[in-house]
Amino acid sequence: MASSDTHLAWDPKTLNHTDKPAGFGCLWRHTITDNGGWSSHPCNHMSNCYKVSVNERGALYNKDHQAIARRMKLVQEDFGLSGKAKKRIWKRFSVSDNSKRKLTLSDFFDRARQSLYWLRRGPEGWHIGVKHLDPVPNQTLKKGNRPQFQPRQNQTQGGYGAFYPYEHNYHHLIPVGAVEEWVIGKGESGSPSRSDLVVKLILISRWNIHNEKNMVLLPQQEFEALIVGLPAHCPWGVPAHAAYQASLQARLRALRSKIDRAIRQKKHPKDLKAEILDELNSLSNDLLVQVKSMMAGVQLGPVNV
């Protein structure tokens, strides 16, 4: 078990967790080297997201997507892409930010077709946690009986990967980059100066950015998101949700100001632990409510927190 000193001194650029840091905070992404405890590691955001999605949020993901796709006229009788679906993908592709995009319109048609191939199996074709025996992705070391959306650990362990049964993402409701910029501080325009003391106080609170409350499973592309009834994470091959992240600035800067004020007043860390933890957990809860109520089938947008 990692000691508090070990975890508090952890620096994402130089060190890594060498064992399970249960009971201590974490603010960055890092490699998990504990293969035996990979799926239960408290910093495994993918596994945490999968667990909370299966156990507490199944209603978000286990709808009759076949019926929904038919009602929206997005599929043909054999679950091929309908003309309406192709037209929507074409229209949305043309207006999306293409400055960093490497994929073509044809690539997104193919991805939608692949998702529908799995949906064709039945009403549970896209359900979370469901195990299909056939058809499944052609991976010789993984034959059937793998729950859908289970994170892929390596070639032999875990699920089939982030494109099965449709491309998806394990999204941090409070993103790592937002915490880095507006709470920890980067010293750039609009960002406070970096404070290692602020880092320590948050870690002492035992808030882990990868905890279940701060995760939500989202479709990556707009076509599947429209059918599922959720916003898309980072569609069209552009790896950013800038508007969403920017909308967290005021709330996170307010938290940083609160911590700075407590430091000036020389408050004891024990008196701050609960306040910091409650504020961050409350923000995660508020964000989940807003994400679930966003327009389906378009990219994750700004929130009002």
Side-chain angles (χ1 to χ4, degrees):
M1 186 71 65
S3 70
S4 57
D5 290 340
T6 299
H7 207 136
L8 292 182
W10 180 70
D11 185 321
K13 295 182 175 62
T14 59
L15 301 176
N16 198 351
H17 296 294
T18 57
D19 49 23
K20 296 180 184 179
F24 300 99
C26 186
L27 298 177
W28 297 279
R29 295 178 186 269
H30 59 89
T31 302
I32 297 173
T33 56
D34 180 7
N35 288 329
W38 185 86
S39 63
S40 60
H41 196 290
C43 298
N44 188 330
H45 72 284
M46 297 183 295
S47 184
N48 290 338
C49 187
Y50 173 73
K51 290 173 186 174
V52 73
S53 300
V54 167
N55 296 327
E56 300 178 22
R57 303 175 188 165
L60 276 178
Y61 308 104
N62 292 347
K63 305 169 186 175
D64 187 343
H65 299 116
Q66 282 193 338
I68 294 170
R70 286 193 179 105
R71 186 169 64 248
M72 290 181 170
K73 300 186 184 335
L74 298 176
V75 294
Q76 299 173 343
E77 189 63 31
D78 63 351
F79 281 89
L81 273 177
S82 70
K84 179 180 178 181
K86 292 177 183 177
K87 186 175 181 180
R88 186 182 192 276
I89 293 172
W90 171 72
K91 281 188 172 181
R92 295 294 300 166
F93 178 82
S94 63
V95 301
S96 61
D97 178 11
N98 61 9
S99 60
K100 298 180 180 179
R101 186 171 60 208
K102 297 180 180 179
L103 299 173
T104 67
L105 177 61
S106 178
D107 291 322
F108 292 105
F109 283 146
D110 289 343
R111 290 189 179 187
R113 291 188 182 100
Q114 184 63 51
S115 299
L116 292 177
Y117 175 74
W118 306 124
L119 182 57
R120 187 183 293 120
R121 292 174 299 194
E124 295 184 340
W126 285 359
H127 283 195
I128 190 167
V130 170
K131 301 176 183 178
H132 289 280
L133 295 178
D134 184 66
V136 293
N138 185 24
Q139 297 181 13
T140 57
L141 298 177
K142 295 181 178 179
K143 291 294 186 182
N145 211 34
R146 304 277 174 163
Q148 294 187 151
F149 297 100
Q150 183 184 43
R152 183 180 187 271
Q153 181 174 349
N154 53 43
Q155 288 186 339
T156 60
Q157 296 173 288
Y160 292 105
F163 288 84
Y164 177 76
Y166 53 77
E167 188 180 4
H168 55 274
N169 182 271
Y170 308 100
H171 170 66
H172 289 85
L173 289 161
I174 307 176
V176 174
V179 173
E180 180 76 25
E181 184 166 3
W182 293 311
V183 183
I184 295 173
K186 299 175 74 173
E188 300 172 355
S189 177
S191 176
S193 59
R194 180 181 174 89
S195 171
D196 290 335
L197 183 53
V198 168
V199 171
K200 283 194 173 186
L201 288 171
I202 298 174
L203 295 179
I204 287 172
S205 78
R206 300 192 177 187
W207 185 70
N208 190 322
I209 198 166
H210 310 297
N211 80 85
E212 292 183 2
K213 293 178 182 177
N214 196 46
M215 302 304 306
V216 65
L217 175 66
L218 293 175
Q220 187 79 326
Q221 301 301 334
E222 292 187 356
F223 173 72
E224 293 84 355
L226 183 63
I227 298 171
V228 174
L230 288 169
H233 179 249
C234 291
W236 311 116
V238 181
H241 39 57
Y244 173 85
Q245 186 157 315
S247 66
L248 303 181
Q249 179 177 359
R251 182 86 172 256
L252 291 176
R253 284 297 303 269
L255 174 61
R256 170 61 189 264
S257 296
K258 182 177 184 178
I259 297 174
D260 285 341
R261 187 164 55 251
I263 291 172
R264 290 194 301 270
Q265 295 171 353
K266 297 183 179 180
K267 287 189 176 181
H268 195 281
K270 288 193 295 185
D271 299 328
L272 281 173
K273 287 171 58 175
E275 292 182 46
I276 293 172
L277 186 61
D278 288 347
E279 173 62 25
L280 289 166
N281 283 338
S282 175
L283 177 55
S284 294
N285 290 334
D286 292 346
L287 291 171
L288 178 62
V289 170
Q290 293 203 29
V291 167
K292 290 194 295 183
S293 65
M294 284 182 184
M295 180 180 294
V298 298
Q299 183 172 14
L300 193 67
V303 293
N304 181 19
V305 291

